Amino acid sequence: MKSIIDHIEPIAHKLVDHCQQKMALSERPGLFFIEDDHNARKTFGKTAYYDPSSKDVVVFVTGRHSKDILRSIAHELVHHMQNLRGDFDDSMDTSPGYAQKDPKLRKMEAEAYLMGNMLFRDWEDGIKSRNLQESKEKSKMNIDTIKKLVRNKIIDILK
């Protein structure tokens, strides 16, 4: 049976490619997936995090919808961009409530939520649009082919 990681990993790398290009990231972050049943049972368990020292995005996948996993990746990629531009420093306190206590971290989180969600949405909509266009082209090709076959068959019968 194919695991969620086997399913999501190739798609996630395409999202990283898109985000890297859109944010002009000079370095690609590491991307790691974790299956953790204990974490998945927690209402407020971890979903993902970015490690600025190793420049790694770590995503928890157990019990999550693929789209939610991808959205988390886009969010963490914005933190990677923030790290590359020098927004992170060693003195940051990321204990619970950090985004409510520290105005700088709150602003960084707001940017990650907004930009990450918009990057993901644009990427997703682009894929859906391409798939719809391909489907229309394939459908038109099939209808044209069927019409031609029917026309040729009628001509054969009339001969």
Side-chain angles (χ1 to χ4, degrees):
M1 186 172 138
K2 196 172 185 181
S3 78
I4 183 70
I5 295 172
D6 293 335
H7 167 74
I8 200 74
E9 190 167 19
I11 300 166
H13 284 289
K14 289 178 183 177
L15 173 62
V16 173
D17 291 342
H18 170 81
C19 291
Q20 185 173 10
Q21 187 262 327
K22 291 295 182 185
M23 292 189 285
L25 300 177
S26 59
E27 275 180 65
R28 188 180 182 95
L31 181 59
F32 299 93
F33 300 96
I34 295 179
E35 291 179 335
D36 184 336
D37 290 328
H38 178 70
N39 180 67
R41 286 190 296 274
K42 295 178 181 178
T43 301
F44 298 108
K46 295 178 183 179
T47 54
Y49 64 89
Y50 175 70
D51 181 343
S53 61
S54 65
K55 298 179 183 167
D56 291 331
V57 171
V58 179
V59 187
F60 292 82
V61 298
T62 307
R64 295 179 68 194
H65 191 284
S66 300
K67 193 171 177 176
D68 183 47
I69 294 167
L70 294 167
R71 195 178 295 111
S72 289
I73 292 169
H75 174 99
E76 299 306 330
L77 288 171
V78 176
H79 289 315
H80 179 61
M81 176 194 71
Q82 293 167 336
N83 188 29
L84 293 178
R85 74 178 181 211
D87 293 353
F88 280 82
D89 61 39
D90 295 334
S91 64
M92 288 185 170
D93 174 16
T94 57
S95 60
Y98 71 90
Q100 289 73 36
K101 297 176 203 166
D102 184 324
K104 177 183 175 187
L105 291 176
R106 186 163 184 86
K107 185 177 177 185
M108 289 172 68
E109 277 302 314
E111 180 181 37
Y113 275 102
L114 177 60
M115 182 182 267
N117 276 310
M118 293 309 296
L119 282 165
F120 174 73
R121 181 66 185 265
D122 291 347
W123 177 74
E124 178 190 17
D125 287 349
I127 289 171
K128 287 178 178 177
S129 177
R130 282 189 299 278
N131 289 346
L132 180 61
Q133 185 61 34
E134 288 171 7
S135 177
K136 284 180 181 178
E137 288 171 7
K138 197 178 277 186
S139 176
K140 182 176 178 4
M141 204 167 40
N142 288 340
I143 290 170
D144 290 344
T145 302
I146 291 168
K147 284 179 181 178
K148 185 176 179 180
L149 289 170
V150 169
R151 188 179 308 117
N152 289 342
K153 191 64 174 173
I154 291 171
I155 292 170
D156 285 346
I157 291 171
L158 291 174
K159 284 182 184 177

